[in-house]
Amino acid sequence: MFIDSHCHLASHRFSKDEVPGLIARALAAGIDRMVTLATCLDDVPANLEIATRPAVHACIGIHPCDVHHAPDDAPEQLAAFVADPRVCAIGETGLDYYHPAPEGWADENFRERQRDFLERHFQLAAKVGLNVVIHTRDAAGRESFEDALEIYRRHHSSVRAVFHCFAGSWEEASRVIDLGGLVSFGGVLTFKNAQAIRDTLLRCPAGTFMLETDSPYLAPEPHRGQRNEPAFVRHVAEKAATLRGESPDELARHTNEAAEHFFRFRPKSI
Ligand SMILES: [Zn+2]
């Protein structure tokens, strides 16, 4: 019934043996599709392997917190995988100004490399006709969001972007939507102190947003603080439906449609 548009099933926090159980629990909870995202070149094969299952699709990208480990041509190396029907978008890419730069890196150089990688993820996406999944995070202010939006603006005529785990205002969401992009909401929506995010959700028209877990991170209530998993997108969905005064069916219909438009899931004959 629902789609988890953003999870990390190849995360080290899930052992390989647990993955079939995670997927089975999600299916039992009415989550019929999951999108698992790679965060570096090394975990692309593991994500593709998991996406061999009918309910799972994969995205391939270099997470902004991993750009210092990645070879300079990592975004171009992703091109080797895009023809694979298990791949449904480019990501997770983006800008993370929250975490301090790694040892040996000045903040400004680390951020510049993230912006360069984001730009090149867009170039690849435009070339191969896929969309882009973006992470932004700031310790204070909205600089990573503004910088990522600026890069998206240069590509929005050929590529769509989703700003995942969206935590901004309606004014910020509307700037993404005006460029043809989407936002997605996860477990934070259920947190007590997240009224501002709930206000944004209420103003997002149907078709402009998706649901996600970002598992293993950011578990929704009533699992807050535990390891997250795709089955829990149901709690995000129930909260969102209640807030918006929609039935779960109605919410599923338009969020699934938004996800299907964005990811254009390909049939997998593997
Ligand atoms: Zn993520």
Side-chain angles (χ1 to χ4, degrees):
M1 171 174 186
F2 293 106
I3 295 176
D4 182 358
S5 70
H6 192 117
C7 57
H8 298 281
L9 297 181
S11 162
H12 64 93
R13 298 197 50 197
F14 300 128
S15 77
K16 230 181 150 191
D17 301 346
E18 281 182 290
V19 171
L22 287 172
I23 296 171
R25 285 199 292 280
L27 293 171
I31 316 310
D32 28 46
R33 275 189 205 274
M34 288 145 260
V35 177
T36 183
L37 291 94
T39 55
C40 60
L41 284 175
D42 287 346
D43 76 354
V44 169
N47 280 282
L48 288 177
E49 166 69 29
I50 297 169
T52 302
R53 291 159 186 280
V56 186
H57 300 260
C59 296
I60 52 170
I62 316 298
H63 192 282
C65 296
D66 280 307
V67 297
H68 58 300
H69 294 303
D72 290 344
D73 65 347
E76 290 71 32
Q77 285 194 41
L78 295 170
F81 303 100
V82 295
D84 191 308
R86 294 170 291 187
V87 173
C88 65
I90 302 296
E92 176 167 0
T93 175
L95 305 176
D96 190 305
Y97 298 172
Y98 175 83
H99 291 99
E103 182 98 27
W105 285 76
D107 270 343
E108 203 31 55
N109 296 344
F110 188 49
R111 292 177 182 189
E112 184 51 41
R113 187 166 173 90
Q114 293 182 17
R115 289 189 290 268
D116 174 53
F117 269 49
L118 175 57
E119 169 69 30
R120 289 194 284 138
H121 278 70
F122 268 114
Q123 288 170 3
L124 171 66
K127 204 161 110 187
V128 302
L130 291 171
N131 292 321
V132 169
V133 181
I134 295 184
H135 160 114
T136 68
R137 192 168 177 197
D138 289 284
R142 301 291 295 159
E143 211 187 328
S144 68
F145 171 77
E146 294 296 341
D147 288 354
L149 195 68
E150 202 40 54
I151 293 171
Y152 177 30
R153 195 183 305 283
R154 298 206 279 269
H155 297 279
H156 80 281
S157 58
S158 46
V159 178
R160 300 181 75 202
V162 59
F163 283 66
H164 105 90
C165 207
F166 194 73
S169 64
W170 161 246
E171 186 270 334
E172 289 163 336
S174 67
R175 288 160 65 203
V176 173
I177 293 164
D178 285 349
L179 292 178
L182 293 173
V183 294
S184 73
F185 296 98
V188 179
L189 199 64
T190 67
F191 295 176
K192 226 185 209 138
N193 59 355
Q195 190 54 46
I197 300 175
R198 288 189 282 275
D199 290 344
T200 303
L201 168 82
L202 280 179
R203 298 188 61 177
C204 284
T208 64
F209 69 93
M210 304 189 285
L211 306 174
E212 64 166 276
T213 56
D214 202 15
S215 46
Y217 311 106
L218 290 170
E221 295 288 0
H223 301 285
R224 189 171 180 180
Q226 301 168 14
R227 189 182 69 177
N228 201 0
E229 61 175 74
F232 297 169
V233 84
R234 181 160 274 281
H235 300 294
V236 178
E238 279 164 7
K239 183 75 180 179
T242 306
L243 288 166
R244 292 173 63 87
E246 293 172 355
S247 67
D249 280 346
E250 175 64 8
L251 181 81
R253 190 191 56 73
H254 67 72
T255 53
N256 289 354
E257 227 171 75
E260 279 154 18
H261 267 133
F262 183 83
F263 291 112
R264 298 190 298 256
F265 300 116
R266 291 183 269 182
K268 296 177 284 181
S269 50
I270 308 162

Coordinates of all heavy atoms in Angstrom, one line a residue, residues 6-8 37 39 63 92 133 135 164-165 212 214-215 217, ligand 1:
H6 N 13.0 5.9 0.7 CA 14.4 6.2 1.1 C 14.8 5.4 2.3 O 14.3 5.6 3.4 CB 14.5 7.7 1.4 CG 16.0 8.1 1.6 ND1 16.5 9.1 0.7 CD2 17.0 7.8 2.4 CE1 17.8 9.3 1.0 NE2 18.1 8.5 2.1
C7 N 15.6 4.3 2.0 CA 16.1 3.5 3.1 C 17.5 3.0 2.7 O 17.9 3.1 1.5 CB 15.2 2.4 3.5 SG 14.8 1.2 2.2
H8 N 18.2 2.5 3.7 CA 19.6 2.0 3.4 C 19.7 0.6 3.9 O 20.2 0.3 5.0 CB 20.6 2.9 4.2 CG 20.6 4.3 3.7 ND1 21.2 4.8 2.6 CD2 20.0 5.4 4.3 CE1 21.0 6.1 2.4 NE2 20.3 6.5 3.4
L37 N 19.2 3.1 -0.9 CA 20.2 4.0 -1.5 C 21.6 3.7 -1.1 O 21.9 3.5 0.1 CB 19.9 5.5 -1.1 CG 18.7 6.1 -1.7 CD1 17.5 5.9 -0.7 CD2 18.9 7.5 -2.0
T39 N 25.6 4.8 -0.6 CA 26.2 6.0 -0.2 C 27.6 6.2 -0.6 O 28.3 7.2 -0.4 CB 26.1 6.1 1.4 OG1 26.7 5.0 1.9 CG2 24.7 6.2 1.9
H63 N 27.3 9.7 -1.0 CA 26.8 10.6 0.1 C 27.8 11.7 0.4 O 29.0 11.5 0.3 CB 26.6 9.8 1.3 CG 25.7 10.4 2.4 ND1 26.3 11.4 3.2 CD2 24.4 10.3 2.7 CE1 25.3 11.8 4.0 NE2 24.2 11.1 3.8
E92 N 22.5 8.5 -2.9 CA 22.2 9.7 -2.2 C 23.4 10.7 -2.4 O 24.5 10.3 -2.1 CB 22.0 9.4 -0.8 CG 21.8 10.6 0.1 CD 21.2 10.1 1.5 OE1 21.0 8.9 1.8 OE2 21.0 11.0 2.4
V133 N 18.4 12.2 -5.8 CA 18.0 12.2 -4.4 C 19.0 13.0 -3.6 O 20.2 12.6 -3.6 CB 17.9 10.8 -3.9 CG1 17.4 10.9 -2.4 CG2 16.9 10.0 -4.7
H135 N 20.4 15.1 -0.1 CA 20.4 15.2 1.4 C 21.0 16.6 1.6 O 22.0 17.0 1.0 CB 21.4 14.1 1.9 CG 22.0 14.4 3.2 ND1 21.7 13.6 4.3 CD2 22.9 15.3 3.7 CE1 22.4 14.0 5.4 NE2 23.1 15.0 5.0
H164 N 15.3 15.0 0.4 CA 14.8 14.0 1.3 C 14.9 14.4 2.8 O 15.6 15.3 3.1 CB 15.5 12.6 1.0 CG 16.5 12.2 2.0 ND1 16.2 11.4 3.1 CD2 17.8 12.5 2.1 CE1 17.3 11.2 3.8 NE2 18.3 11.8 3.2
C165 N 14.1 13.7 3.6 CA 14.1 14.0 5.0 C 13.9 15.5 5.2 O 14.6 16.1 6.0 CB 15.4 13.5 5.7 SG 15.1 13.1 7.4
E212 N 9.1 8.3 3.6 CA 10.3 7.6 3.7 C 10.6 7.2 5.2 O 10.0 7.8 6.1 CB 11.5 8.4 3.2 CG 11.7 9.7 4.1 CD 13.1 10.4 3.8 OE1 14.1 9.9 4.4 OE2 13.1 11.3 3.0
D214 N 14.3 6.6 5.9 CA 15.7 6.8 6.1 C 16.3 5.8 7.0 O 17.3 6.0 7.7 CB 16.1 8.2 6.6 CG 17.5 8.7 6.2 OD1 18.1 8.0 5.4 OD2 18.0 9.6 6.8
S215 N 15.7 4.6 7.1 CA 16.2 3.6 8.0 C 17.6 3.1 7.5 O 17.9 3.2 6.3 CB 15.3 2.3 8.0 OG 14.9 2.0 6.7
Y217 N 18.2 4.9 10.2 CA 18.2 6.1 11.1 C 16.8 6.7 11.4 O 15.9 6.3 10.6 CB 19.1 7.2 10.4 CG 20.4 6.7 10.0 CD1 20.7 6.5 8.6 CD2 21.4 6.4 10.9 CE1 21.9 6.0 8.2 CE2 22.6 5.8 10.5 CZ 22.8 5.6 9.2 OH 24.0 5.1 8.8
Ligands
ZN1 ZN 19.7 8.6 3.5

